[in-house]
Amino acid sequence: MTNLGIPLHAPFPARPPLPAVRPSACPGLLRIVQALDGGICRIKLPGGLLTADQAEAVANAAQVYAGEVIEATNRANLQIRGIVGEHGALVEALLTAGLGPRQAAGDDVRNVLLSPAAGLDPQQLLDVRPLAAQLLASLEQEPRLHALSAKFAIQLDGGEALAMLEHHHDVWLSPVIIDGAGWMAFGLAGCPGHDPALGAVPASNAHALVLAVLDAFLVRATAEQHRLRDLLEGTSAAGFVDDLAAQRRDLGIRSVDFHRAPITATPIGVHAQYQPGHSLVVAGAALGRLDAEQLRGAAGLARRLGDGTLRITPWQGLLLPGIASADAATVQLALAALGWLVDPAQPLASLIACTGSSGCAKGLADTKADAHRLAATLLEPAAVHLSGCARSCAAAHVAPATLLAVGNGYYDLYLRDATLPGFGALQATHITVQEAGALLDARSRSNTHD
Ligand code: SF4
């Protein structure tokens, strides 16, 4: 007698052991890291992309093996929090959905950030997706590159209007036309939104350039130097590039005067798509969190009204591509009903908060709950980052305003000041979020009246 083809009294086949992974404090798909609220599994997505089927697999895994808390990260990945019990089955479910790396040892290093609109943005100069695929294949499959830190990250900008340009990356590239030909300007230990390029290579050499930078870093870095900024501290990034140019003349590195054009689009909303008659619908996840039903619902919309794919954005939200422009408002309404933020004027759309004391032992305050309180207090939307400690996990950039926890329910308020390091200028100490909201509203009113 059989049930679904499996003999009822036969022993279950032994599950093949999951591949071994190196020790690290960073979560991965194969490495569940414990937090106060349970295990965390981070699913690194190629360019933030996943299919509707894969999104449903993540939603199901979060529902079956965890407390349904899913997070969209500021590196355009997803993670499942609060995992209890059987880790192996959760990992297998995600691997079966095709969300794993090509090689187990390559999971940590598949950190390549693209615009969520890559290949679809009317303003782009270059579709960087083929280059991203080539780079990810190298990172995942070339064992020498698996020595890179799990935080080592590369950004490929295609010149899109919808782009995150403020996140620090070890290597960034951005397209530029020189004498009618396509080149890639590049920088090290910075971001295209703030830093001038250190050089440029013909676009066809971009993959080789990145590998050459990674190899040079691995040869020179000490065991304590995990990021390029560690290696370049106290030395000259331009000198690093000069050495590379001298050693690798085949790369064709040349100097270039390049500053990336600023972005023109606010993330949440409906954006034009390169393909006529189609739109990109971008929504936010409140404080980066969503539940299984939200993700499953978005997957259903992608399948019914989009192209069957979803892209996670570095603003901790979602982009649905391939929506017929006539359907964009319908999709926004459906996303709003699922709990996604579709209006940039919603106060929560401008707030970011780390895990805080509800899930992190280092947290001095429950930043997520306090951010909800702040959103209810604010009369005007304000871009505020609530951080449970100085590590600033939620923000890869300095926010216009930062509330740094100093105790349960109490914060110091900083305002960004480009002339000052860290979070900026200290404005108030040991205040509640209600007091912070009043200060931020007063500041907003006074700026409006200037
Ligand atoms: S910023 Fe501090 S409190 Fe917040 S998640 Fe990171 S380590 Fe924890």
Side-chain angles (χ1 to χ4, degrees), residues 170-192:
D170 294 275
V171 188
W172 61 262
L173 295 95
S174 192
V176 57
I177 305 296
I178 301 176
D179 298 332
W183 289 64
M184 290 298 269
F186 65 90
L188 306 176
C191 55

Side-chain angles (χ1 to χ4, degrees), residues 81 353-357 359-365 367 385-395 404-405:
R81 292 193 75 91
C354 73
T355 301
S357 59
C360 173
K362 293 188 174 66
L364 297 176
T367 46
H385 166 210
L386 290 88
S387 192
C389 79
R391 286 166 66 106
S392 187
C393 297
L404 176 63

Side-chain angles (χ1 to χ4, degrees), residues 108-158:
D108 281 341
V109 296
R110 44 183 185 149
N111 304 320
V112 180
L113 185 78
L114 314 184
S115 159
L120 308 174
D121 190 309
Q123 191 177 298
Q124 72 184 18
L125 290 174
L126 181 71
D127 181 353
V128 293
R129 292 175 299 173
L131 174 58
Q134 202 182 5
L135 265 177
L136 282 166
S138 298
L139 286 163
E140 292 181 30
Q141 290 174 312
E142 297 193 18
R144 73 185 192 285
L145 301 180
H146 300 165
L148 291 166
S149 153
K151 294 189 183 306
F152 201 98
I154 299 160
Q155 178 169 16
L156 299 182
D157 167 42

